[in-house]
Amino acid sequence: MADVWRVSKPARWRWLALFCALALVASACGGGDDDEADGGVAAEATTAPAAPSGDDDEPAPSGDDGGDSQLATGDGDDRDGEAPEAAAAPSTEAPAAEMAPQYGGTLVFGLEAETTNGLNPVNAQAAVSGHILFRSLYDTLTIEGVDGEALPYLLESFSSNDDFTVWVFTLRPDIVFHDGTPADAAALKRHLEEQSKGTLTGIFMGDLEIESIDELDDGLSVQINLATPRATLPNLFTTHLGYFGAPSMYDLGQEGAARNPIGTGPFMLEEWIPNEVTRMVRNPNYWRTDAEGRQLPYLDTIEFRPIPDNDGRFAALRSGDLDASSDNTGLRIDDYNEGFKTFWQDDSYSETTYLLLNNSRPPYDNAEFRRALAQCTDRQTFNTVRWDAQTPATGPFSPGTPGYLEDSGFPAYDPDAGSATIARLGVSNVEIGTTNDSANLLNVELIAAMWDDCGLDVSITQVDQAELITNAVFGLFTAFLWRQHPSYDIVAERIWWHSKFGLGIALNFGRINNPRIDAALDAARDTDDPDRRRELAEEINRAFGEEANYIWFYHSNWLVAAHDHVHGIDALTLPEGGEHIKVMEGRVFLAETWIEQ
């Protein structure tokens, strides 16, 4: 049952006292976990540390110093908004190029959450942790290139006709699933058909308006015939849709496949004890080799351990109970950089943490009220507590991502103007939801105190994370914190933003009905011209700014941290060369990771 809190009307000194308390808690616990689901479901133009560490032959991507985002020190000192110098992790190892990878050993990897409903990507509610598991069990059909265009991965090639209504996907030869069956055209057709049946993936596939999927005579290719153009179709297969499962797995049914994943990936499932450990072992028939032709993977075993508490996960890494861990916090940058190898996601294609507003329910259905609410929200103060003083996000696109604008027209902090509008509209009571996590409650209490100063009586409802996600799908909420939208391809954001997906059981959680956003998303399906797609993304950003459909806070910059004996965390050799995004939403490939023994 939900817990309901009511925030009384404090004087401004109490507002500041709450801010100070939050700053202390944030320094101690890392700010807590964000609410998330994934399909990409899930949460800064952060500047990644200026000198991230890593293996010498695979430097971790650094942030774009030209961005407007700024990080402060972990103790809450914003240094007048200037980004601090980030210390590189000390390293005594010889250059990685002089060290031959060693086979064997077990990597113990810490995750922020368990993927509770199983490891079948067709039906899994996978957040970032789930995608890390999937990228070890399955290979994706395509992979994210650094220029915003997907590259072939399991696919050897993809091509289309002139109007993007007919696509041919061709698999690489001689690849087998974990059970020894061939990864061929028949399997690919079955995979696409199963994806069409999934609760989440079925919505994506249904939007593609597939007329037929035909196997071609070479035995490795399928032709996908569409009713309407999809100019960037391969981009959709870098994640959920692209995790290629075996027909024998789908034969087990939804529940059987969830506990018995069968992919082509570098590791195979040995044991899954929910909320304790997911243990995977080396796939002896893996198809990939490294740049020198050595067979992959190097590791014998990976043990993934879910540790939802940021503090606990950091302590486990520091004590040596974990060899490596993923994290999504801006409050321990120095601790991570100085104590470990750190692999940071670049600014581009970062998720955004924001206040998800239900645009279909009063008073949030009124754009004038939403803009006033934005004016009453001191986002810079919130970010100082939550993400080391990052400059507030201007929309869902992070710096370096097509669509990013320094000024999207989103309302600036102006509590006097906001409170005047709220008083004129006659709104007095609002509700915010959050999870049962204590840090999330403190964050929402800070927002509630800001709104209280604008004359609103704010109640806070707490539920567990699973219920929060269910409430989002069914529209049973008014407002809560959320993390999502890497926007690698704006067409992939259609189901989250287009009004077509905002009715009933909806993945447009905010029930946005914004004609400008709809029109831009529709136009983006038909073009692969990067300049035109950037224009359309910028139009979406301005539409969000004008309507204030959501209240944007910061862009989440993921990292993976590892001890010095762990190598190759961010290494991935593409068959035809090319450069991929090393850390994407915290997701990494671990086939070329090895342990110095």
Side-chain angles (χ1 to χ4, degrees):
M1 183 171 179
D3 297 321
V4 178
W5 299 68
R6 188 160 299 277
V7 178
S8 61
K9 298 194 179 300
R12 189 168 296 272
W13 68 267
R14 290 193 58 198
W15 192 107
L16 295 173
L18 179 59
F19 163 70
C20 293
L22 272 165
L24 290 172
V25 170
S27 295
C29 71
D33 298 326
D34 289 352
D35 307 322
E36 61 180 339
D38 205 278
V41 183
E44 339 197 328
T46 63
T47 298
S53 64
D55 291 343
D56 292 343
D57 63 339
E58 289 281 353
S62 63
D64 179 2
D65 291 337
D68 69 352
S69 61
Q70 297 165 345
L71 297 173
T73 57
D75 63 4
D77 174 15
D78 66 6
R79 301 189 185 186
D80 297 323
E82 294 182 0
E85 292 290 333
S91 176
T92 57
E93 65 177 328
E98 299 177 9
M99 300 177 64
Q102 299 177 21
Y103 285 91
T106 296
L107 177 75
V108 183
F109 196 106
L111 302 175
E112 69 166 1
E114 177 64 274
T115 303
T116 56
N117 66 335
L119 301 172
N120 173 11
V122 170
N123 290 296
Q125 292 179 353
V128 169
S129 296
H131 286 282
I132 294 175
L133 298 175
F134 291 156
R135 290 193 174 205
S136 293
L137 293 167
Y138 305 93
D139 293 304
T140 52
L141 296 175
T142 59
I143 192 169
E144 300 94 345
V146 294
D147 60 357
E149 294 185 7
L151 302 172
Y153 193 46
L154 262 183
L155 295 181
E156 186 173 64
S157 65
F158 49 76
S159 60
S160 75
N161 64 351
D162 291 340
D163 70 356
F164 307 112
T165 57
V166 178
W167 283 87
V168 174
F169 283 7
T170 300
L171 290 159
R172 300 180 188 279
D174 304 321
I175 296 177
V176 297
F177 292 104
H178 296 156
D179 63 356
T181 57
D184 56 12
L188 180 54
K189 180 179 179 181
R190 174 72 181 278
H191 169 74
L192 297 174
E193 291 171 344
E194 293 293 332
Q195 293 283 28
S196 297
K197 301 174 185 177
T199 303
L200 173 64
T201 58
I203 296 175
F204 271 107
M205 295 293 285
D207 188 49
L208 295 179
E209 301 181 65
I210 296 175
E211 293 184 330
S212 65
I213 303 172
D214 304 321
E215 296 179 44
L216 301 186
D217 292 340
D218 64 3
L220 292 172
S221 302
V222 299
Q223 179 172 301
I224 305 170
N225 303 298
L226 308 174
T228 54
R230 291 296 186 276
T232 56
L233 183 68
N235 288 28
L236 297 180
F237 292 89
T238 64
T239 178
H240 244 102
L241 297 183
Y243 295 125
F244 192 13
S248 57
M249 179 183 77
Y250 297 129
D251 288 342
L252 299 173
Q254 180 175 334
E255 184 174 346
R259 299 199 67 89
N260 297 278
I262 304 172
T264 64
F267 297 94
M268 306 180 295
L269 182 67
E270 181 180 72
E271 182 180 32
W272 176 36
I273 304 175
N275 299 309
E276 290 187 23
V277 66
T278 300
R279 184 175 293 106
M280 300 183 190
V281 296
R282 187 176 189 269
N283 174 8
N285 299 312
Y286 191 49
W287 61 281
R288 284 183 53 234
T289 60
D290 68 11
E292 303 299 324
R294 292 176 288 235
Q295 182 62 44
L296 296 172
Y298 301 127
L299 295 166
D300 284 339
T301 310
I302 303 179
E303 291 186 0
F304 293 101
R305 296 182 184 174
I307 306 175
D309 178 67
N310 284 336
D311 230 20
R313 196 163 62 256
F314 178 80
L317 181 66
R318 184 171 53 187
S319 70
D321 289 342
L322 298 176
D323 297 303
S325 176
S326 62
D327 211 329
N328 177 229
T329 176
L331 299 172
R332 278 205 173 96
I333 290 172
D334 290 341
D335 290 340
Y336 275 115
N337 279 345
E338 292 170 6
F340 308 97
K341 294 180 180 178
T342 51
F343 305 89
W344 289 88
Q345 179 175 342
D346 192 33
D347 285 346
S348 301
Y349 310 117
S350 293
E351 295 173 297
T352 302
T353 289
Y354 59 98
L355 199 64
L356 179 68
L357 305 178
N358 190 335
N359 287 234
S360 69
R361 295 182 63 173
Y364 300 105
D365 59 347
N366 184 332
E368 190 177 9
F369 173 75
R370 294 194 302 267
R371 290 184 63 84
L373 207 58
Q375 290 175 318
C376 290
T377 308
D378 186 349
R379 298 181 296 138
Q380 185 62 72
T381 291
F382 184 90
N383 288 0
T384 297
V385 173
R386 192 66 177 89
W387 198 271
D388 277 6
Q390 179 192 143
T391 300
T394 62
F397 305 102
S398 60
T401 303
Y404 171 75
L405 295 168
E406 289 189 10
D407 182 4
S408 65
F410 189 83
Y413 180 52
D414 188 348
D416 292 335
S419 60
T421 300
I422 289 170
R424 177 170 53 79
L425 295 174
V427 179
S428 58
N429 298 288
V430 293
E431 183 264 351
I432 309 179
T434 188
T435 67
N436 291 319
D437 179 85
S438 59
N440 282 340
L441 175 60
L442 286 170
N443 285 322
V444 171
E445 285 180 335
L446 178 57
I447 295 170
M450 296 173 185
W451 292 1
D452 185 274
D453 274 354
C454 278
L456 292 170
D457 188 10
V458 184
S459 60
I460 298 173
T461 302
Q462 287 187 275
V463 299
D464 63 41
Q465 188 178 59
E467 184 177 350
L468 193 76
I469 295 170
T470 300
N471 289 348
V473 172
F474 286 93
L476 303 177
F477 73 98
T478 53
F480 52 72
L481 285 173
W482 199 255
R483 182 185 69 199
Q484 201 178 347
H485 309 307
S487 299
Y488 183 73
D489 183 343
I490 57 172
V491 175
E493 303 290 359
R494 274 178 60 80
I495 66 169
W496 314 116
W497 296 340
H498 199 288
S499 63
K500 174 182 177 181
F501 305 102
L503 300 173
I505 299 175
L507 293 178
N508 174 355
F509 300 132
R511 275 65 180 170
I512 297 170
N513 187 356
N514 190 320
R516 290 173 61 189
I517 292 176
D518 286 356
L521 290 170
D522 289 342
R525 295 177 300 179
D526 306 338
T527 178
D528 63 351
D529 177 57
D531 292 334
R532 176 59 177 153
R533 292 170 67 78
R534 180 183 297 275
E535 290 174 0
L536 292 169
E538 290 175 354
E539 168 66 6
I540 290 171
N541 205 354
R542 293 188 183 95
F544 269 125
E546 181 178 314
E547 293 288 317
N549 300 102
Y550 300 141
I551 297 177
W552 312 108
F553 285 107
Y554 57 88
H555 301 290
S556 301
N557 200 316
W558 282 90
L559 83 149
V560 176
H563 286 280
D564 284 345
H565 63 273
V566 179
H567 303 269
I569 283 283
D570 63 344
L572 179 66
T573 302
L574 300 184
E576 286 80 36
E579 188 177 359
H580 68 96
I581 298 175
K582 300 294 192 297
V583 180
M584 177 71 177
E585 296 180 86
R587 308 169 190 177
V588 289
F589 291 87
L590 299 173
E592 296 183 43
T593 301
W594 58 279
I595 293 176
E596 191 176 341
Q597 300 174 59

